Amino acid sequence: MMRKIWSLIRTDLNVTYGLSSIAYRFKNNKNRWQIIVFGIAMLSLIPSYLLMVKSLDGMYDLYVLIGQKSMFLLTGFLLTQILIFFLGLLYVMSKYYFSNDLAQLIPLPIKPSYIIGSKFISLMISEYLTSLPIILPFIIIYGTKSDEGILYWIYSLLVTAFLPIIPLVLASIVVMIFMKYTNIRARKDLIRTVSAILFIILILYVQLKIQSIAQKSIIEGRDFILNLIKDSNLLVKKLGISFPPSQWASLSLANNHDLTGFVYLIIFIAVSIVIFVLMILLSEYVFLDGLIGNIEVSAEKGKGKKILESDLTKVTKPYMALAKKELIMLFKTPIYLINTVGGVIILPVVLVMTNVMGGEGSISSMIEMTGMGLDFITLGCIGFIVALGMLNCVGSTTFSREGKCFWIQRTLPIRVEDQIIGRLLSALAIQVIGIVAFLIGSAFIIKFDAISIILITLLGLLGSVPMTLLGMTIDILRPMLDWDNPQRAIKQNLNVLIGMGVGVLYVMGLGFLVYKVINKINIVLIYGLLGLIFIISSIILYVVLKALIKKQFEILE
Amino acid sequence: MNDLLKIQNVSKTYGKAKVKAVDNISLEVKPGEIFGFLGPNGAGKTTTIKMIVGLLKPDEGIITVNGVNVWEEPLKAKSMISYVPDSPEIYDKLKGIEYLNFIADMYGISKEERKRKLDYYLDLFEIKDAVGDVIASYSHGMKQKIVLTAALLNNPELFILDEPMVGLDPKSAFNLKEIMRDMCNKGKTVFFSTHVLEVAEKLCDRIAIINKGKIIALGTMDELRSHAEERESLEKIFLELTE
């Protein structure tokens, strides 16, 4: 039995992290620069991380000041566990229910609980990557500043090791029950997509809220943090009571020198183990129910809509046919829908929500405060739409999304021009949805005149062209075609990140340019200038992309 | 008569491996010919086919279709070729009919031609009722039929199939063989790889056997027989040559 589980875990880790394929690639000298780019991206995060750690250091001092030292640890544990829980919901959903190894695992003579158990452990290892960078600073700052002994560090090790279990088990249970009861045949994908979008809205809202707190803190300075801690102390306490595991963890560390600490440590570990076992037992009953409906695609085989005579004679131009195919795939694959269409709708929705609930920190009051002119706001909105052109990920994953079906594109006599225009049109269609959502959303905040609306729509769309072409350029250089779960084509695709990085630079560059000239030349000229830049960069990218596609379509293997 | 498909001194090596997957092979296929491409697993059949259809660039050598170099004028060559891969990986979120229309649009097939072809092949493969469903709901064989139908829409000069019989029910396999015969009667060329020696023996005008990247036998059944010691069946010849 143990051998089975061990083998499952090993295979799962291998598949998830692609160990075998990385080793193969490294041996064959393929994509070595890819690893280097990733390394640089990671390194670039270090300064801001250090800054955060430094502010934690100050936070510790403040907690000591108000005589609530152990609250510092509790904050760390709560933060980590809440984050693990929320990220866990997404990870669990895709790992338990949407990964393609399931089709191979289910027929094997192994119990559902083994599958869940092995997937859980593989997930837990991923979660350490999230939890360690957050919790370690808390533990280390606390430990060194209050001169804790060896027992503290041993306790920390144990607590940290067990930290992801409880939130991840809770996430697993929530997801398994959710999947069991949403396993409704016809509207399954829709229900899941809508729930996922609602969930992302929630997360973004929380993020924005945190951001606005951070902004406030910059304005009010040290007093604010002190006040915040006084206030949030109560909040943390409340949360701690409603989520005891974090409290046990912090109490065990804070009281490591006496028996109380030991008892809390035992409680923490024991509860982690028990709840894990309970989840595994539960999985025997609920996992397959949620799953089987997910694998079977349509039980109405042959009863689908009868095709009409007109279906047989629909002639479409190649680029239009390609755009149509792209859109169908985007809308019918839940994970694509959430990331592309979901992305362009959610941002404006969150914008409105924060404004409605924001009070004095809201965007409308900020606009009033700074006395920004409508032209200035219009320019900002154009920048937002242009950035959305990259954030929607349509361009930067367009070839990756082909995956194993890429052979179709390469063996058909499709002109490169049609490839580019078709894919571009599909991205622009998504952008139109985003612009509509944005304009409706912003109507709650600012009153745009007709000219602004036209300018935002036209220049926004025009600016989305170079963004999409840029994304496509990045994607065709290193398309991620070897995936069996569409999740990987879009969520684990480095091209998306690279695209966003380059896209943000592009928009920031334009912003800087506009900032430099805004008081010197007429606003109409600025709009004209932007339009000209969009057109020129589109033409350049089009030429580059054309050559690249031609070359890459030949040499990709 | 000019050769429809001409492969000249083509080689291909994968990655940094020293062994050539395809090693300096040459062959010609005439219009109206059914050409069988046999060989054990890993012999280089699929690699060769992928080089013809534009999926793998040869390291050396030239491949022409009707005189058109497939790697210099890919669009012109591809519009004469139809390709059926060994595993039918197609856009599973599209409906069957959407996929077929997509392919037809890419080949620029006219309204009338499209209707005529679709009516005929959907009936022949008995998938008319299924093409309104999403492809994800299809069985392997049904996907194979969709790919076949799609490949036949453009009336290809050169029809290339990689292991086409796998997954087809007996009736569809029979139909496919009929289609292949019918095509070569109309002067079109069929090039396919297979493990089913019986099919090759009955269907092919000429056969090539490839092993470890090299063509070790090429000719009509009679010619192959005269080379081998064991002559009664292709199976015996195959086993003897690929030992």
Side-chain angles (χ1 to χ4, degrees):
Chain A
M1 183 182 117
M2 279 318 285
R3 262 178 54 198
K4 268 188 192 171
I5 295 181
W6 177 232
S7 166
L8 275 174
I9 294 172
R10 241 182 16 217
T11 317
D12 194 283
L13 285 174
N14 197 342
V15 173
T16 315
Y17 297 102
L19 298 181
S20 296
S21 82
I22 287 178
Y24 170 80
R25 276 190 192 170
F26 218 76
K27 265 186 216 143
N28 288 285
N29 217 349
K30 266 188 187 172
N31 297 338
R32 219 169 252 183
W33 69 274
Q34 190 175 325
I35 300 167
I36 296 168
V37 167
F38 190 69
I40 293 172
M42 286 288 121
L43 284 180
S44 69
L45 291 176
I46 288 181
S48 46
Y49 181 68
L50 287 180
L51 209 71
M52 261 169 56
V53 171
K54 209 166 163 274
S55 69
L56 279 185
D57 196 70
M59 198 170 139
Y60 171 84
D61 294 342
L62 288 170
Y63 270 119
V64 173
L65 208 69
I66 57 170
Q68 302 256 353
K69 214 167 69 169
S70 71
M71 291 304 296
F72 179 69
L73 283 175
L74 181 58
T75 312
F77 285 122
L78 260 181
L79 210 64
T80 314
Q81 290 196 308
I82 289 173
L83 196 73
I84 292 177
F85 174 73
F86 281 114
L87 286 175
L89 289 175
L90 288 177
Y91 289 164
V92 164
M93 175 90 87
S94 75
K95 187 131 190 132
Y96 290 10
Y97 291 94
F98 287 93
S99 67
N100 275 26
D101 60 346
L102 289 166
Q104 290 150 46
L105 290 179
I106 301 300
L108 294 177
I110 35 180
K111 287 188 189 170
S113 52
Y114 288 17
I115 298 175
I116 291 298
S118 68
K119 282 183 176 290
F120 183 89
I121 289 180
S122 152
L123 263 188
M124 217 172 100
I125 291 170
S126 326
E127 289 284 10
Y128 283 128
L129 297 178
T130 326
S131 69
L132 288 182
I134 303 172
I135 196 62
L136 281 186
F138 281 93
I139 289 178
I140 293 172
I141 289 172
Y142 185 95
T144 49
K145 283 204 142 184
S146 57
D147 252 345
E148 294 289 340
I150 182 80
L151 211 52
Y152 171 84
W153 298 104
I154 296 173
Y155 279 21
S156 312
L157 201 70
L158 287 169
V159 169
T160 313
F162 280 85
L163 199 58
I165 296 182
I166 296 175
L168 209 52
V169 163
L170 292 178
S172 302
I173 293 174
V174 169
V175 168
M176 282 197 291
I177 290 175
F178 173 73
M179 291 301 280
K180 182 179 157 86
Y181 292 105
T182 56
N183 199 352
I184 304 158
R185 252 200 346 222
R187 293 274 159 263
K188 200 171 49 204
D189 277 357
L190 182 73
I191 292 172
R192 285 178 191 166
T193 307
V194 169
S195 343
I197 289 180
L198 286 177
F199 176 69
I200 293 173
I201 290 179
L202 188 78
I203 289 185
L204 274 175
Y205 176 70
V206 172
Q207 274 172 357
L208 278 180
K209 202 74 210 168
I210 290 171
Q211 218 172 10
S212 80
I213 293 175
Q215 277 165 358
K216 230 176 171 181
S217 77
I218 292 168
I219 301 168
E220 294 179 21
R222 197 184 157 95
D223 286 344
F224 172 78
I225 299 180
L226 195 63
N227 286 332
L228 180 72
I229 285 178
K230 274 187 189 150
D231 291 347
S232 65
N233 203 6
L234 198 69
L235 180 76
V236 171
K237 260 186 193 156
K238 267 191 200 157
L239 278 175
I241 292 162
S242 51
F243 192 64
S246 293
Q247 210 165 21
W248 301 330
S250 58
L251 286 174
S252 83
L253 287 192
N255 300 306
N256 66 75
H257 31 72
D258 56 39
L259 192 66
T260 332
F262 183 70
V263 171
Y264 277 118
L265 180 72
I266 296 298
I267 293 178
F268 182 71
I269 292 176
V271 169
S272 297
I273 294 172
V274 169
I275 193 173
F276 172 71
V277 173
L278 283 178
M279 187 274 290
I280 291 292
L281 290 178
L282 181 74
S283 74
E284 282 286 340
Y285 299 100
V286 293
F287 174 57
L288 285 181
D289 289 341
L291 178 78
I292 287 169
N294 195 33
I295 285 183
E296 72 184 29
V297 178
S298 139
E300 306 162 30
K301 209 182 277 180
K303 286 182 209 142
K305 251 174 56 191
K306 280 268 182 291
I307 50 162
L308 302 169
E309 203 62 16
S310 60
D311 288 333
L312 300 179
T313 52
K314 260 187 213 150
V315 177
T316 320
K317 289 248 180 323
Y319 59 86
M320 283 306 282
L322 194 60
K324 195 175 136 199
K325 172 235 135 196
E326 285 285 287
L327 286 174
I328 294 176
M329 300 288 285
L330 283 175
F331 275 90
K332 283 200 184 167
T333 314
I335 200 82
Y336 297 161
L337 187 66
I338 292 167
N339 281 284
T340 57
V341 183
V344 299
I345 294 178
I346 284 169
L347 281 168
V349 169
V350 172
L351 217 65
V352 179
M353 270 172 58
T354 40
N355 196 59
V356 173
M357 301 185 190
E360 54 175 311
S362 72
I363 300 166
S364 359
S365 60
M366 266 165 65
I367 291 172
E368 250 168 60
M369 240 164 62
T370 50
M372 272 188 277
L374 193 60
D375 282 322
F376 204 76
I377 297 166
T378 307
L379 281 168
C381 293
I382 292 170
F384 179 78
I385 299 293
V386 173
L388 214 54
M390 184 58 92
L391 298 179
N392 68 26
C393 327
V394 178
S396 54
T397 58
T398 184
F399 297 105
S400 296
R401 275 182 279 120
E402 294 280 336
K404 290 192 173 121
C405 297
F406 199 39
W407 69 270
I408 300 172
Q409 299 292 323
R410 293 179 61 205
T411 54
L412 289 174
I414 310 176
R415 293 187 320 143
V416 179
E417 293 85 343
D418 288 332
Q419 283 282 1
I420 300 176
I421 294 170
R423 289 168 196 275
L424 177 63
L425 285 179
S426 68
L428 291 183
I430 303 293
Q431 280 298 90
V432 170
I433 299 175
I435 292 174
V436 171
F438 178 77
L439 288 176
I440 293 174
S442 55
F444 290 89
I445 304 172
I446 342 160
K447 293 277 164 283
F448 280 125
D449 54 16
I451 294 176
S452 292
I453 291 175
I454 292 169
L455 278 170
I456 292 171
T457 309
L458 288 184
L459 283 177
L461 272 182
L462 193 60
S464 308
V465 175
M467 284 288 111
T468 308
L469 295 179
L470 194 61
M472 284 167 70
T473 307
I474 293 163
D475 198 38
I476 191 61
L477 277 172
R478 40 185 304 287
M480 186 175 184
L481 300 167
D482 187 22
W483 48 261
D484 44 19
N485 180 348
Q487 171 112 1
R488 294 194 52 173
I490 200 156
K491 283 243 131 174
Q492 293 171 22
N493 195 342
L494 203 56
N495 296 352
V496 174
L497 274 181
I498 299 175
M500 284 178 185
V502 181
V504 166
L505 280 182
Y506 181 93
V507 175
M508 272 168 51
L510 286 182
F512 182 72
L513 184 75
V514 169
Y515 169 76
K516 280 278 163 196
V517 298
I518 192 145
N519 291 323
K520 293 178 190 140
I521 57 173
N522 189 303
I523 189 77
V524 179
L525 274 177
I526 291 181
Y527 290 131
L529 184 68
L530 280 179
L532 194 68
I533 292 174
F534 291 150
I535 291 171
I536 291 173
S537 46
S538 296
I539 293 171
I540 295 172
L541 283 164
Y542 181 82
V543 173
V544 172
L545 187 58
K546 217 170 116 175
L548 274 177
I549 290 181
K550 195 168 175 301
K551 184 173 147 253
Q552 289 294 91
F553 266 50
E554 276 183 13
I555 61 170
L556 284 169
E557 286 184 4
Chain B
M1 209 187 295
N2 283 334
D3 297 318
L4 190 100
L5 170 67
K6 195 166 181 183
I7 299 177
Q8 294 172 65
N9 307 105
V10 166
S11 294
K12 176 76 194 174
T13 311
Y14 285 112
K16 288 215 159 153
K18 294 209 173 71
V19 191
K20 287 183 174 174
V22 169
D23 191 356
N24 195 25
I25 68 167
S26 296
L27 57 87
E28 290 95 35
V29 186
K30 305 227 172 320
E33 224 176 5
I34 301 186
F35 194 93
F37 201 46
L38 312 186
N41 295 328
K45 297 188 296 289
T46 300
T47 303
T48 307
I49 286 181
K50 283 186 170 172
M51 288 192 287
I52 304 172
V53 299
L55 286 172
L56 271 181
K57 192 163 190 173
D59 299 335
E60 291 157 33
I62 295 170
I63 301 172
T64 57
V65 173
N66 220 351
V68 178
N69 185 321
V70 295
W71 287 94
E72 274 167 15
E73 294 178 85
L75 279 197
K76 206 169 162 193
K78 284 173 188 171
S79 53
M80 292 187 280
I81 306 176
S82 271
Y83 164 58
V84 177
D86 52 350
S87 62
E89 301 275 4
I90 47 177
Y91 304 118
D92 58 359
K93 297 286 174 183
L94 298 190
K95 291 176 185 167
I97 187 68
E98 288 170 339
Y99 178 72
L100 292 171
N101 268 319
F102 172 74
I103 299 291
D105 288 332
M106 294 303 137
Y107 280 110
I109 294 164
S110 72
K111 212 167 159 178
E112 300 73 31
E113 178 76 355
R114 191 176 300 205
K115 179 164 164 34
R116 202 171 57 75
K117 284 271 164 70
L118 282 175
D119 272 337
Y120 177 73
Y121 288 116
L122 294 183
D123 269 344
L124 186 73
F125 288 123
E126 297 176 336
I127 47 173
K128 203 158 204 168
D129 287 336
V131 290
D133 289 327
V134 284
I135 290 170
S137 69
Y138 292 2
S139 67
H140 181 92
M142 268 161 64
K143 278 189 199 166
Q144 189 80 349
K145 290 179 188 176
I146 288 283
V147 178
L148 273 171
T149 308
L152 289 161
L153 289 176
N154 74 322
N155 210 10
E157 292 298 321
L158 175 60
F159 193 30
I160 298 183
L161 307 98
D162 198 355
E163 295 291 350
M165 302 300 167
V166 176
L168 288 183
D169 54 54
K171 192 174 172 198
S172 302
F174 173 80
N175 283 334
L176 176 60
K177 284 184 263 181
E178 290 297 302
I179 291 168
M180 285 157 84
R181 276 215 189 89
D182 187 49
M183 284 180 79
C184 78
N185 288 339
K186 288 177 184 154
K188 313 285 184 189
T189 307
V190 178
F191 183 99
F192 74 104
S193 75
T194 185
H195 281 300
V196 191
L197 300 176
E198 227 191 327
V199 174
E201 195 168 1
K202 285 192 186 139
L203 207 61
C204 296
D205 299 311
R206 285 196 307 146
I207 288 168
I209 298 177
I210 183 170
N211 191 24
K212 293 178 185 152
K214 289 191 169 145
I215 290 181
I216 51 169
L218 175 71
T220 60
M221 262 314 286
D222 289 337
E223 285 167 345
L224 289 187
R225 273 198 195 100
S226 66
H227 288 304
E229 287 166 17
E230 296 274 1
R231 292 169 188 185
E232 65 264 47
S233 74
L234 185 59
E235 187 178 18
K236 288 275 169 61
I237 299 171
F238 182 86
L239 290 174
E240 187 190 316
L241 287 172
T242 57
E243 227 164 52

